Amino acid sequence: MRVLSGIQPTGQLHIGNYLGAIQQWVDLQTKHDCFFAVVDLHALTVQQDPKEFGRATMEKVIELISAGLDPEKCTIFLQSHVKEHAELAWIFNTITPVSELERMTQYKDKSKKNKENINAGLLTYPILQAADILLYQAQGVPIGKDQIQHLELTRTIARKFNNLYGNTFVEPEALVLPEGAKIMSLVEPKKKMSKSDGAASYVSLFEEPESIRKKFMRATTDAGKEITYNPAKKPGVSNLLVMYSLFAEQSIKDTEKQFQGKGYAALKKEEAELLIDKLEPFRKKKKELQSRDLYLKEVLKRGAEKAHSVASQTMEAVRSKLGLLSL
Ligand code: TYM
């Protein structure tokens, strides 16, 4: 199976990204032909400081490798290194109704949050995402729940192009985990954990131990004192239970049993210690990679070459289907 997924370069890589997406990527890389992109062009829908942007992009590459991606087992690349992404996005622009884009939840949320910069890229963002996926003829796309709507639109675009110009694209499937696909904010557990909310709402994958302890101790919990899984009535505790179970690799039922008769404080305390322990290797690996500039450049160079060899083939087929002349 061909697999593709992507992540934005800006903001912290948090445990929501990890449990919903990256952990799947690490698992899939040993079984499938995987492509993972740091989507730097997507991040430009928010104005970036050019000096900081390059650093953040490289840091995301470091973080993905630290979290378990192995450049020997999968293809890691920057979206902007493969020009076909922007080219195919333009073509898809011409077959996607504006009304479909205006329906996207993420567009509605983001334009509400950034009233002063509702640029066209914010609206056409999912078209570029469709190009990311369809260029590689990916069958599987490992993502968290918040990206399902974009994947559905990708499928619609693939179908529409195939109907208009003849069979060209594979219709990809979303690979969404039963647990972990939507990790909630530590502060407002009815909202998803997001890098764009305050730092208290998420735990970074590379967070220092003292800060992890503080964030868990201050996490919002619910009325009562029973530690039971009930997302509607106990969103805070349920979110803590989900994260604990995933990091401890045990069922939610077993986690409930483990904390039976104990209070919220015990759960928070033990959860913080569990995470400190589990995240330690990631922190270590990140420090080690930070000084390996040449190696990282080499990884990206190889990644871009491999990605380009696939993307250019698809693009050639698309050009020919559309009647765009070659030289
Ligand atoms: P991004 O960078 O916001 O997030 C990267 C991945 O993390 C998942 N995720 C979560 N999973 C569980 N709980 C959460 N609280 C949580 N927050 C984020 C996301 O679902 C995602 O899988 N548009 C995409 C990037 C993208 C992409 C692509 C993804 C661009 N092109 C092609 C797949 C295929 C985004 O902004 O993800």
Side-chain angles (χ1 to χ4, degrees):
M1 177 163 80
R2 172 71 55 70
V3 168
L4 178 131
S5 199
I7 185 163
Q8 296 220 30
T10 47
Q12 296 285 326
L13 183 68
H14 55 67
I15 53 178
N17 298 130
Y18 180 70
L19 296 174
I22 316 295
Q23 209 177 23
Q24 289 201 75
W25 301 6
V26 173
D27 184 39
L28 290 163
Q29 68 178 344
T30 56
K31 304 175 190 143
H32 301 290
D33 182 19
C34 293
F35 288 77
F36 299 117
V38 174
V39 294
D40 47 358
L41 295 175
H42 271 122
L44 293 174
T45 51
V46 175
Q47 201 187 343
Q48 303 292 342
D49 169 358
K51 280 189 222 116
E52 176 52 25
F53 190 44
R55 196 204 54 76
T57 304
M58 198 47 116
E59 179 160 279
K60 199 53 90 249
V61 174
I62 291 176
E63 292 185 349
L64 291 176
I65 300 174
S66 307
L69 287 192
D70 178 349
E72 299 299 321
K73 298 195 178 114
C74 65
T75 304
I76 303 171
F77 68 104
L78 301 187
Q79 183 186 39
S80 70
H81 284 169
V82 184
K83 307 276 190 282
E84 283 79 358
H85 289 244
E87 188 179 358
L88 186 59
W90 173 257
I91 310 262
F92 288 161
N93 265 310
T94 66
I95 63 164
T96 310
V98 171
S99 58
E100 295 254 0
L101 299 170
E102 283 169 338
R103 278 196 314 109
M104 296 290 117
T105 316
Q106 210 152 70
Y107 168 67
K108 289 195 250 178
D109 285 353
K110 287 194 178 163
S111 43
K112 223 185 272 168
K113 274 191 193 162
N114 298 298
K115 282 215 170 67
E116 67 299 338
N117 184 17
I118 307 179
N119 56 76
L122 218 49
L123 182 67
T124 57
Y125 181 109
I127 292 184
L128 181 58
Q129 184 162 349
D132 297 341
I133 298 166
L134 299 180
L135 264 180
Y136 297 88
Q137 306 288 6
Q139 288 128 315
V141 184
I143 43 178
K145 234 182 206 160
D146 62 333
Q147 295 300 317
I148 291 180
Q149 197 183 31
H150 288 169
L151 204 272
E152 281 304 318
L153 181 67
T154 301
R155 290 167 60 89
T156 306
I157 292 174
R159 226 175 297 135
K160 182 146 183 200
F161 190 97
N162 289 345
N163 285 336
L164 288 171
Y165 299 106
N167 210 13
T168 312
F169 293 112
V170 169
E171 256 187 65
E173 304 277 345
L175 306 176
V176 180
L177 292 173
E179 300 292 346
K182 192 172 183 187
I183 297 296
M184 310 309 269
S185 154
L186 293 181
V187 178
E188 291 174 89
K190 288 195 167 155
K191 279 175 63 183
K192 74 162 183 184
M193 183 176 283
S194 162
K195 63 177 184 192
S196 46
D197 292 330
S201 67
Y202 61 79
V203 171
S204 145
L205 211 56
F206 305 92
E207 192 120 7
E208 291 298 328
E210 212 28 62
S211 176
I212 296 181
R213 282 190 194 104
K214 267 194 202 135
K215 287 189 181 178
F216 274 103
M217 291 324 283
R218 287 179 194 159
T220 305
T221 38
D222 317 289
K225 49 181 193 267
E226 295 280 285
I227 297 181
T228 47
Y229 180 73
N230 184 338
K233 291 204 177 120
K234 292 194 159 217
V237 171
S238 301
N239 191 38
L240 291 176
L241 279 171
V242 167
M243 291 188 287
Y244 192 100
S245 319
L246 290 170
F247 277 109
E249 297 174 65
Q250 65 186 32
S251 70
I252 293 180
K253 276 264 154 299
D254 284 346
T255 311
E256 278 178 336
K257 256 189 228 142
Q258 184 183 330
F259 287 99
Q260 209 172 25
K262 297 187 185 173
Y264 293 162
L267 172 62
K268 290 172 162 187
K269 203 162 166 223
E270 285 189 40
E271 184 148 353
E273 296 312 314
L274 173 69
L275 259 82
I276 289 167
D277 194 41
K278 294 278 175 181
L279 303 186
E280 157 85 20
F282 300 154
R283 281 199 305 279
K284 240 169 117 182
K285 182 90 197 208
K286 182 173 171 182
K287 284 204 183 103
E288 189 189 305
L289 282 169
Q290 267 159 342
S291 57
R292 298 190 57 198
D293 234 30
L294 275 176
Y295 165 73
L296 296 163
K297 287 214 171 101
E298 190 49 42
V299 166
L300 290 182
K301 189 158 176 279
R302 261 194 293 140
E305 280 165 7
K306 177 102 188 287
H308 181 252
S309 72
V310 179
S312 61
Q313 272 183 38
T314 306
M315 205 53 224
E316 226 168 89
V318 170
R319 292 178 59 96
S320 138
K321 295 259 162 100
L322 289 166
L324 291 166
L325 296 181
S326 47
L327 268 179

PDB file of all heavy atoms in Angstrom, residues 245-264:
ATOM      1  N   SER A 245      -4.140   5.455  28.821  1.00  0.00           N
ATOM      2  CA  SER A 245      -4.225   4.106  28.237  1.00  0.00           C
ATOM      3  C   SER A 245      -3.326   3.972  27.025  1.00  0.00           C
ATOM      4  O   SER A 245      -2.673   2.945  26.852  1.00  0.00           O
ATOM      5  CB  SER A 245      -5.633   3.777  27.753  1.00  0.00           C
ATOM      6  OG  SER A 245      -6.570   4.226  28.639  1.00  0.00           O
ATOM      7  N   LEU A 246      -3.303   5.007  26.184  1.00  0.00           N
ATOM      8  CA  LEU A 246      -2.494   4.907  24.967  1.00  0.00           C
ATOM      9  C   LEU A 246      -1.006   4.880  25.303  1.00  0.00           C
ATOM     10  O   LEU A 246      -0.263   4.080  24.744  1.00  0.00           O
ATOM     11  CB  LEU A 246      -2.825   6.062  24.015  1.00  0.00           C
ATOM     12  CG  LEU A 246      -4.219   5.977  23.378  1.00  0.00           C
ATOM     13  CD1 LEU A 246      -4.571   7.268  22.648  1.00  0.00           C
ATOM     14  CD2 LEU A 246      -4.309   4.798  22.413  1.00  0.00           C
ATOM     15  N   PHE A 247      -0.579   5.719  26.220  1.00  0.00           N
ATOM     16  CA  PHE A 247       0.847   5.708  26.569  1.00  0.00           C
ATOM     17  C   PHE A 247       1.230   4.447  27.351  1.00  0.00           C
ATOM     18  O   PHE A 247       2.327   3.936  27.212  1.00  0.00           O
ATOM     19  CB  PHE A 247       1.248   6.985  27.326  1.00  0.00           C
ATOM     20  CG  PHE A 247       1.538   8.127  26.401  1.00  0.00           C
ATOM     21  CD1 PHE A 247       0.682   9.212  26.310  1.00  0.00           C
ATOM     22  CD2 PHE A 247       2.679   8.121  25.596  1.00  0.00           C
ATOM     23  CE1 PHE A 247       0.945  10.276  25.431  1.00  0.00           C
ATOM     24  CE2 PHE A 247       2.952   9.167  24.720  1.00  0.00           C
ATOM     25  CZ  PHE A 247       2.083  10.249  24.641  1.00  0.00           C
ATOM     26  N   ALA A 248       0.302   3.962  28.177  1.00  0.00           N
ATOM     27  CA  ALA A 248       0.608   2.757  28.964  1.00  0.00           C
ATOM     28  C   ALA A 248       0.356   1.478  28.161  1.00  0.00           C
ATOM     29  O   ALA A 248       0.663   0.381  28.627  1.00  0.00           O
ATOM     30  CB  ALA A 248      -0.234   2.748  30.236  1.00  0.00           C
ATOM     31  N   GLU A 249      -0.205   1.643  26.961  1.00  0.00           N
ATOM     32  CA  GLU A 249      -0.551   0.506  26.101  1.00  0.00           C
ATOM     33  C   GLU A 249      -1.432  -0.503  26.826  1.00  0.00           C
ATOM     34  O   GLU A 249      -1.136  -1.688  26.885  1.00  0.00           O
ATOM     35  CB  GLU A 249       0.709  -0.151  25.538  1.00  0.00           C
ATOM     36  CG  GLU A 249       1.499   0.795  24.641  1.00  0.00           C
ATOM     37  CD  GLU A 249       2.823   0.217  24.180  1.00  0.00           C
ATOM     38  OE1 GLU A 249       2.789  -0.772  23.441  1.00  0.00           O
ATOM     39  OE2 GLU A 249       3.857   0.754  24.596  1.00  0.00           O
ATOM     40  N   GLN A 250      -2.490   0.002  27.432  1.00  0.00           N
ATOM     41  CA  GLN A 250      -3.479  -0.871  28.079  1.00  0.00           C
ATOM     42  C   GLN A 250      -4.872  -0.305  27.789  1.00  0.00           C
ATOM     43  O   GLN A 250      -5.001   0.834  27.343  1.00  0.00           O
ATOM     44  CB  GLN A 250      -3.212  -0.957  29.583  1.00  0.00           C
ATOM     45  CG  GLN A 250      -3.409   0.363  30.314  1.00  0.00           C
ATOM     46  CD  GLN A 250      -3.004   0.291  31.794  1.00  0.00           C
ATOM     47  OE1 GLN A 250      -2.088  -0.442  32.144  1.00  0.00           O
ATOM     48  NE2 GLN A 250      -3.673   1.043  32.635  1.00  0.00           N
ATOM     49  N   SER A 251      -5.893  -1.127  28.045  1.00  0.00           N
ATOM     50  CA  SER A 251      -7.250  -0.667  27.703  1.00  0.00           C
ATOM     51  C   SER A 251      -7.726   0.412  28.677  1.00  0.00           C
ATOM     52  O   SER A 251      -7.188   0.551  29.786  1.00  0.00           O
ATOM     53  CB  SER A 251      -8.214  -1.854  27.733  1.00  0.00           C
ATOM     54  OG  SER A 251      -8.379  -2.254  29.074  1.00  0.00           O
ATOM     55  N   ILE A 252      -8.745   1.145  28.257  1.00  0.00           N
ATOM     56  CA  ILE A 252      -9.326   2.164  29.141  1.00  0.00           C
ATOM     57  C   ILE A 252      -9.936   1.479  30.371  1.00  0.00           C
ATOM     58  O   ILE A 252      -9.803   1.957  31.498  1.00  0.00           O
ATOM     59  CB  ILE A 252     -10.377   2.998  28.375  1.00  0.00           C
ATOM     60  CG1 ILE A 252      -9.665   3.821  27.294  1.00  0.00           C
ATOM     61  CG2 ILE A 252     -11.164   3.909  29.318  1.00  0.00           C
ATOM     62  CD1 ILE A 252     -10.565   4.699  26.450  1.00  0.00           C
ATOM     63  N   LYS A 253     -10.568   0.341  30.150  1.00  0.00           N
ATOM     64  CA  LYS A 253     -11.166  -0.433  31.266  1.00  0.00           C
ATOM     65  C   LYS A 253     -10.109  -0.738  32.325  1.00  0.00           C
ATOM     66  O   LYS A 253     -10.342  -0.541  33.529  1.00  0.00           O
ATOM     67  CB  LYS A 253     -11.744  -1.766  30.736  1.00  0.00           C
ATOM     68  CG  LYS A 253     -13.142  -1.683  30.172  1.00  0.00           C
ATOM     69  CD  LYS A 253     -14.184  -2.083  31.228  1.00  0.00           C
ATOM     70  CE  LYS A 253     -15.552  -1.471  31.013  1.00  0.00           C
ATOM     71  NZ  LYS A 253     -15.688  -0.038  31.029  1.00  0.00           N
ATOM     72  N   ASP A 254      -8.953  -1.227  31.889  1.00  0.00           N
ATOM     73  CA  ASP A 254      -7.879  -1.562  32.841  1.00  0.00           C
ATOM     74  C   ASP A 254      -7.379  -0.315  33.556  1.00  0.00           C
ATOM     75  O   ASP A 254      -7.008  -0.375  34.728  1.00  0.00           O
ATOM     76  CB  ASP A 254      -6.712  -2.257  32.125  1.00  0.00           C
ATOM     77  CG  ASP A 254      -7.060  -3.707  31.799  1.00  0.00           C
ATOM     78  OD1 ASP A 254      -8.053  -4.218  32.359  1.00  0.00           O
ATOM     79  OD2 ASP A 254      -6.353  -4.313  30.965  1.00  0.00           O
ATOM     80  N   THR A 255      -7.358   0.804  32.832  1.00  0.00           N
ATOM     81  CA  THR A 255      -6.895   2.051  33.460  1.00  0.00           C
ATOM     82  C   THR A 255      -7.906   2.498  34.519  1.00  0.00           C
ATOM     83  O   THR A 255      -7.532   2.910  35.620  1.00  0.00           O
ATOM     84  CB  THR A 255      -6.674   3.145  32.395  1.00  0.00           C
ATOM     85  OG1 THR A 255      -5.884   2.600  31.341  1.00  0.00           O
ATOM     86  CG2 THR A 255      -5.976   4.351  32.973  1.00  0.00           C
ATOM     87  N   GLU A 256      -9.197   2.375  34.185  1.00  0.00           N
ATOM     88  CA  GLU A 256     -10.231   2.704  35.182  1.00  0.00           C
ATOM     89  C   GLU A 256     -10.036   1.859  36.444  1.00  0.00           C
ATOM     90  O   GLU A 256     -10.081   2.381  37.555  1.00  0.00           O
ATOM     91  CB  GLU A 256     -11.631   2.401  34.609  1.00  0.00           C
ATOM     92  CG  GLU A 256     -12.198   3.476  33.714  1.00  0.00           C
ATOM     93  CD  GLU A 256     -13.567   3.090  33.129  1.00  0.00           C
ATOM     94  OE1 GLU A 256     -13.864   1.882  33.031  1.00  0.00           O
ATOM     95  OE2 GLU A 256     -14.318   3.991  32.770  1.00  0.00           O
ATOM     96  N   LYS A 257      -9.804   0.557  36.231  1.00  0.00           N
ATOM     97  CA  LYS A 257      -9.612  -0.357  37.376  1.00  0.00           C
ATOM     98  C   LYS A 257      -8.416   0.068  38.208  1.00  0.00           C
ATOM     99  O   LYS A 257      -8.465   0.111  39.437  1.00  0.00           O
ATOM    100  CB  LYS A 257      -9.401  -1.782  36.851  1.00  0.00           C
ATOM    101  CG  LYS A 257     -10.640  -2.656  37.020  1.00  0.00           C
ATOM    102  CD  LYS A 257     -10.329  -4.103  36.693  1.00  0.00           C
ATOM    103  CE  LYS A 257     -11.407  -4.630  35.743  1.00  0.00           C
ATOM    104  NZ  LYS A 257     -10.883  -5.522  34.715  1.00  0.00           N
ATOM    105  N   GLN A 258      -7.328   0.390  37.482  1.00  0.00           N
ATOM    106  CA  GLN A 258      -6.086   0.771  38.169  1.00  0.00           C
ATOM    107  C   GLN A 258      -6.311   1.970  39.104  1.00  0.00           C
ATOM    108  O   GLN A 258      -5.677   2.063  40.152  1.00  0.00           O
ATOM    109  CB  GLN A 258      -5.047   1.124  37.090  1.00  0.00           C
ATOM    110  CG  GLN A 258      -3.680   1.461  37.615  1.00  0.00           C
ATOM    111  CD  GLN A 258      -2.742   1.862  36.461  1.00  0.00           C
ATOM    112  OE1 GLN A 258      -2.904   1.390  35.323  1.00  0.00           O
ATOM    113  NE2 GLN A 258      -1.783   2.716  36.739  1.00  0.00           N
ATOM    114  N   PHE A 259      -7.223   2.869  38.701  1.00  0.00           N
ATOM    115  CA  PHE A 259      -7.419   4.090  39.502  1.00  0.00           C
ATOM    116  C   PHE A 259      -8.707   4.063  40.332  1.00  0.00           C
ATOM    117  O   PHE A 259      -9.101   5.084  40.889  1.00  0.00           O
ATOM    118  CB  PHE A 259      -7.384   5.324  38.596  1.00  0.00           C
ATOM    119  CG  PHE A 259      -5.993   5.630  38.110  1.00  0.00           C
ATOM    120  CD1 PHE A 259      -5.585   5.236  36.855  1.00  0.00           C
ATOM    121  CD2 PHE A 259      -5.087   6.271  38.954  1.00  0.00           C
ATOM    122  CE1 PHE A 259      -4.288   5.486  36.416  1.00  0.00           C
ATOM    123  CE2 PHE A 259      -3.786   6.536  38.525  1.00  0.00           C
ATOM    124  CZ  PHE A 259      -3.391   6.136  37.247  1.00  0.00           C
ATOM    125  N   GLN A 260      -9.322   2.884  40.409  1.00  0.00           N
ATOM    126  CA  GLN A 260     -10.558   2.776  41.194  1.00  0.00           C
ATOM    127  C   GLN A 260     -10.290   3.195  42.644  1.00  0.00           C
ATOM    128  O   GLN A 260      -9.296   2.762  43.246  1.00  0.00           O
ATOM    129  CB  GLN A 260     -11.026   1.326  41.164  1.00  0.00           C
ATOM    130  CG  GLN A 260     -12.510   1.192  41.288  1.00  0.00           C
ATOM    131  CD  GLN A 260     -12.925  -0.252  41.042  1.00  0.00           C
ATOM    132  OE1 GLN A 260     -12.137  -1.174  41.238  1.00  0.00           O
ATOM    133  NE2 GLN A 260     -14.154  -0.445  40.623  1.00  0.00           N
ATOM    134  N   GLY A 261     -11.155   4.058  43.162  1.00  0.00           N
ATOM    135  CA  GLY A 261     -11.014   4.473  44.562  1.00  0.00           C
ATOM    136  C   GLY A 261      -9.948   5.532  44.784  1.00  0.00           C
ATOM    137  O   GLY A 261      -9.792   6.041  45.883  1.00  0.00           O
ATOM    138  N   LYS A 262      -9.183   5.856  43.762  1.00  0.00           N
ATOM    139  CA  LYS A 262      -8.194   6.933  43.896  1.00  0.00           C
ATOM    140  C   LYS A 262      -8.807   8.230  43.366  1.00  0.00           C
ATOM    141  O   LYS A 262      -9.759   8.198  42.600  1.00  0.00           O
ATOM    142  CB  LYS A 262      -6.934   6.618  43.107  1.00  0.00           C
ATOM    143  CG  LYS A 262      -6.193   5.384  43.598  1.00  0.00           C
ATOM    144  CD  LYS A 262      -4.870   5.256  42.859  1.00  0.00           C
ATOM    145  CE  LYS A 262      -4.156   3.977  43.234  1.00  0.00           C
ATOM    146  NZ  LYS A 262      -2.956   3.768  42.407  1.00  0.00           N
ATOM    147  N   GLY A 263      -8.242   9.367  43.723  1.00  0.00           N
ATOM    148  CA  GLY A 263      -8.808  10.648  43.285  1.00  0.00           C
ATOM    149  C   GLY A 263      -8.197  11.146  41.987  1.00  0.00           C
ATOM    150  O   GLY A 263      -7.258  10.530  41.453  1.00  0.00           O
ATOM    151  N   TYR A 264      -8.730  12.256  41.503  1.00  0.00           N
ATOM    152  CA  TYR A 264      -8.208  12.863  40.272  1.00  0.00           C
ATOM    153  C   TYR A 264      -6.722  13.201  40.404  1.00  0.00           C
ATOM    154  O   TYR A 264      -5.948  13.059  39.459  1.00  0.00           O
ATOM    155  CB  TYR A 264      -8.961  14.157  39.941  1.00  0.00           C
ATOM    156  CG  TYR A 264     -10.410  13.978  39.550  1.00  0.00           C
ATOM    157  CD1 TYR A 264     -11.283  15.061  39.595  1.00  0.00           C
ATOM    158  CD2 TYR A 264     -10.899  12.756  39.121  1.00  0.00           C
ATOM    159  CE1 TYR A 264     -12.621  14.939  39.230  1.00  0.00           C
ATOM    160  CE2 TYR A 264     -12.237  12.616  38.759  1.00  0.00           C
ATOM    161  CZ  TYR A 264     -13.083  13.707  38.816  1.00  0.00           C
ATOM    162  OH  TYR A 264     -14.407  13.574  38.449  1.00  0.00           O
TER     163      TYR A 264
END
